[in-house]
Amino acid sequence: MRDHLQGLIPMLLKFIHDLKNDEKVQRAFSENPKKAMKQAGLSARQQSVFNSRNRQRILNAMLDELSQSPIIGTWVYPDINLLSIKPSSGSQGQTLQVTLTGQWFTVPMTANIENNTQKVPITIQSVTGAGEEKSQATGSLVLPASLPTGPYTVRVTSDTKTSSTLSMGFTVKASSESKTPAGTKKAPASKTSGAKKTPTRGARGKTPKK
């Protein structure tokens, strides 16, 4: 079991550990440092970092190795986590600028809204707070005019293909055009009936006497 796990432990970290605790490695290194590092499986880059004797550079290199280790990396960086999307709704045919808020976002990352039959991508434009407990991403969401209305799940996926979802986090509404009934007829204008003139009763002329 130990031999199996040994291949998964970051090489630079292992070499430094062995150099401190293993007398055979110490002896080999004192006789021929380059040969000892090569036998330990260090790459040319790892050897260069170690030979620099730069504490910060060595520490950064080890942290980088840890983040990529299959058994240690998941402990160093928690999985991506989506908490909210704003706005949380849009209409058919609309293009929206959306903001995704969550934790441990990565660069790159992908996002989309989806249901059982539809999947619409969110084009990520910027990510702030990548790898941090408070992360935010902005992007563009184009809603096709024919997209079915209703609730959609929002999904974000990290660069390591882990994902987080917000169930029913986004709602697609009917466009304003589809709400207007087609061919609505105007009620005909009612004709104004003219009031009949009341004839003026003039005084009847007297018949002249013959």
Side-chain angles (χ1 to χ4, degrees), residues 79-83 153-158 162-166:
D79 288 342
I80 193 169
N81 184 30
L82 177 63
L83 299 176
T153 292
V154 186
R155 180 184 299 273
V156 292
T157 304
S158 72
T162 58
S163 64
S164 174
T165 58
L166 202 59

Side-chain angles (χ1 to χ4, degrees), residues 90-106:
S91 302
Q92 295 166 320
Q94 195 174 15
T95 297
L96 301 170
Q97 282 296 118
V98 298
T99 300
L100 303 165
T101 304
Q103 301 171 309
W104 319 114
F105 284 3
T106 63

Side-chain angles (χ1 to χ4, degrees), residues 73-148:
T74 53
W75 301 340
V76 178
Y77 295 110
D79 288 342
I80 193 169
N81 184 30
L82 177 63
L83 299 176
S84 69
I85 180 172
K86 289 183 180 180
S88 58
S89 65
S91 302
Q92 295 166 320
Q94 195 174 15
T95 297
L96 301 170
Q97 282 296 118
V98 298
T99 300
L100 303 165
T101 304
Q103 301 171 309
W104 319 114
F105 284 3
T106 63
V107 179
M109 63 177 281
T110 59
N112 62 269
I113 62 169
E114 60 186 48
N115 62 15
N116 292 334
T117 59
Q118 306 291 324
K119 185 175 181 180
V120 183
I122 298 173
T123 304
I124 299 297
Q125 296 165 335
S126 67
V127 177
T128 56
E132 297 178 8
E133 194 173 355
K134 291 183 179 180
S135 302
Q136 194 173 84
T138 58
S140 175
L141 173 60
V142 180
L143 302 174
S146 59
L147 189 66

Side-chain angles (χ1 to χ4, degrees), residues 12 31-32 34 42 44 46 49 52 58 63-64 72 74-75 86 94-95 103 114 134 140 165 196 206:
L12 185 57
E31 292 174 359
N32 191 330
K34 190 172 182 179
L42 297 188
Q46 290 168 325
V49 170
S52 73
I58 293 171
L63 287 173
D64 187 50
I72 300 174
T74 53
W75 301 340
K86 289 183 180 180
Q94 195 174 15
T95 297
Q103 301 171 309
E114 60 186 48
K134 291 183 179 180
S140 175
T165 58
K196 291 182 180 179
K206 290 184 182 182

